[in-house]
């Protein structure tokens, strides 16, 4: 009886520990700590479609992903789509985003070659008219991150007169740990972070304190594009017959 009680007590403690465990948090750049505003995007979940709320903004999304492997899996192809609409404060009408992703890999023994590295592109429309600019994101295999096999991403969003550089973030708050896959993305202008989005769990958008309305709009759209995106570095897609 004592043994059974001990086992039950240990199990209860383990369940309590799991319940109190918090997901890893993205380490924000120093320029964003204690400044600006952070908004959590609610309603996303893990589904292919749905509605979301991001502070004063609301919208809907639809996404898909496909994985096709030949010769198990000598050659692998991944494709994805992410479309969303959003409206709200300061947007002057509803904005629609159309995003697509492609990635091609060849595996020979233990060596993986990317004849077509991951590339993700988004175009935007407002009230039926094409908005000037786009978002582009690509795999980045250079430097220390490449040697450590981190799934780094680099890119840019241009929107009207706003141009922001995008880089994936891998550092975890309160730890020296660097995650292999992105835990979020940082948006920079001239090397200074003006915003970020955390994608571990519900997407969380951080706007820099000095971001003007045009910059905030670019941060919002980039954050939604990346927060809703099924990144092939993280998704476990079911294989289709080739």
């Amino acid at each position: 009886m004592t043994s059974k009680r001990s086992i039950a007590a240990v199990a209860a403690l383990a369940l309590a520990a799991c319940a109190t465990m918090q997901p890893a948090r993205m380490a924000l750049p120093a320029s964003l700590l204690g400044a600006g505003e952070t908004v959590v995007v609610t309603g996303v979940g893990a589904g292919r479609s749905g509605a979301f709320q991001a502070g004063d903004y609301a919208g809907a999304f639809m996404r898909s992903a496909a994985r096709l492997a030949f010769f198990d899996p000598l050659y692998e192809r991944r494709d994805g789509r992410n479309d969303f609409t959003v409206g709200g404060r300061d947007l002057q009408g509803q904005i629609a985003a159309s995003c697509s992703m492609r990635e091609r890999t060849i595996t020979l023994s233990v060596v993986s070659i990317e004849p077509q590295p991951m590339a993700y592109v988004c175009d935007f429309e407002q009230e039926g008219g094409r908005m000037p600019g786009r978002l582009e994101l690509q795999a980045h295999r250079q430097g220390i991150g490449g040697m450590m096999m981190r799934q780094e991403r680099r890119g840019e969003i241009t929107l009207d007169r706003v141009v922001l550089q995008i880089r994936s973030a891998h550092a975890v708050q309160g730890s020296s740990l660097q995650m292999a896959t992105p835990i979020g993305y940082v948006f920079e202008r001239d090397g200074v972070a003006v915003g970020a989005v955390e994608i571990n769990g519900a997407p969380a958008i951080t706007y820099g304190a000095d971001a003007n309305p045009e910059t905030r709009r670019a941060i919002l759209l980039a954050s939604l594009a990346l927060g809703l995106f099924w990144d092939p570095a993280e998704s476990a897609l079911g294989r289709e017959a080739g």
Side-chain angles (χ1 to χ4, degrees):
M1 181 66 69
T2 302
S3 176
K4 289 182 178 179
R5 287 178 178 174
S6 298
I7 293 172
V10 170
L13 288 172
L15 287 172
C18 290
T20 57
M21 286 180 64
Q22 298 296 318
R25 298 264 67 91
M26 170 184 169
L28 289 171
S31 60
L32 297 177
L33 290 174
E37 173 191 8
T38 297
V39 175
V40 176
V41 183
T42 59
V44 176
R48 293 180 176 271
S49 62
F52 63 84
Q53 186 82 30
D56 294 328
Y57 307 98
F61 68 92
M62 183 176 294
R63 56 192 177 183
S64 63
R67 173 182 175 185
L68 185 63
F70 300 90
F71 310 116
D72 197 34
L74 173 63
Y75 174 82
E76 189 171 71
R77 187 182 79 195
R78 291 174 184 254
D79 299 277
R81 285 210 58 83
N82 173 26
D83 300 317
F84 66 89
T85 57
V86 61
R89 184 187 66 183
D90 301 331
L91 290 187
Q92 299 177 350
Q94 192 172 72
I95 294 177
S98 177
C99 308
S100 61
M101 181 277 298
R102 286 189 175 184
E103 182 182 60
R104 307 289 184 266
T105 60
I106 297 174
T107 301
L108 302 173
S109 184
V110 295
V111 179
S112 183
I113 304 170
E114 293 184 314
Q116 186 176 2
M118 193 284 294
Y120 182 60
V121 176
C122 296
D123 292 307
F124 305 99
E125 292 186 354
Q126 188 166 32
E127 298 300 309
R130 175 75 177 271
M131 296 180 70
R134 65 179 357 196
L135 180 147
E136 296 185 356
L137 188 75
Q138 294 184 340
H140 182 80
R141 300 294 193 196
Q142 300 176 1
I144 296 176
M147 290 187 291
M148 297 180 67
M149 302 303 293
R150 283 204 298 265
Q151 300 288 322
E152 294 189 353
R153 309 281 187 250
R154 293 288 187 274
E156 184 175 84
I157 181 171
T158 60
L159 205 61
D160 291 334
R161 294 168 293 178
V162 176
V163 179
L164 301 178
Q165 288 73 50
I166 304 171
R167 63 174 176 85
S168 58
H170 300 261
V172 175
Q173 187 181 87
S175 171
S176 59
L177 177 66
Q178 292 276 331
M179 298 186 69
T181 57
I183 191 171
Y185 292 87
V186 176
F187 311 118
E188 298 177 329
R189 180 189 287 119
D190 299 326
V192 178
V194 296
V197 60
E198 181 174 359
I199 60 173
N200 191 31
I205 306 170
T206 298
Y207 302 96
D210 298 328
N212 59 29
E214 291 78 15
T215 300
R216 287 176 64 94
R217 181 181 65 171
I219 292 171
L220 171 70
L221 294 178
S223 295
L224 293 174
L226 298 169
L228 297 172
F229 171 42
W230 275 339
D231 192 320
E234 300 177 346
S235 60
L237 301 176
R239 184 173 301 169
E240 298 178 358

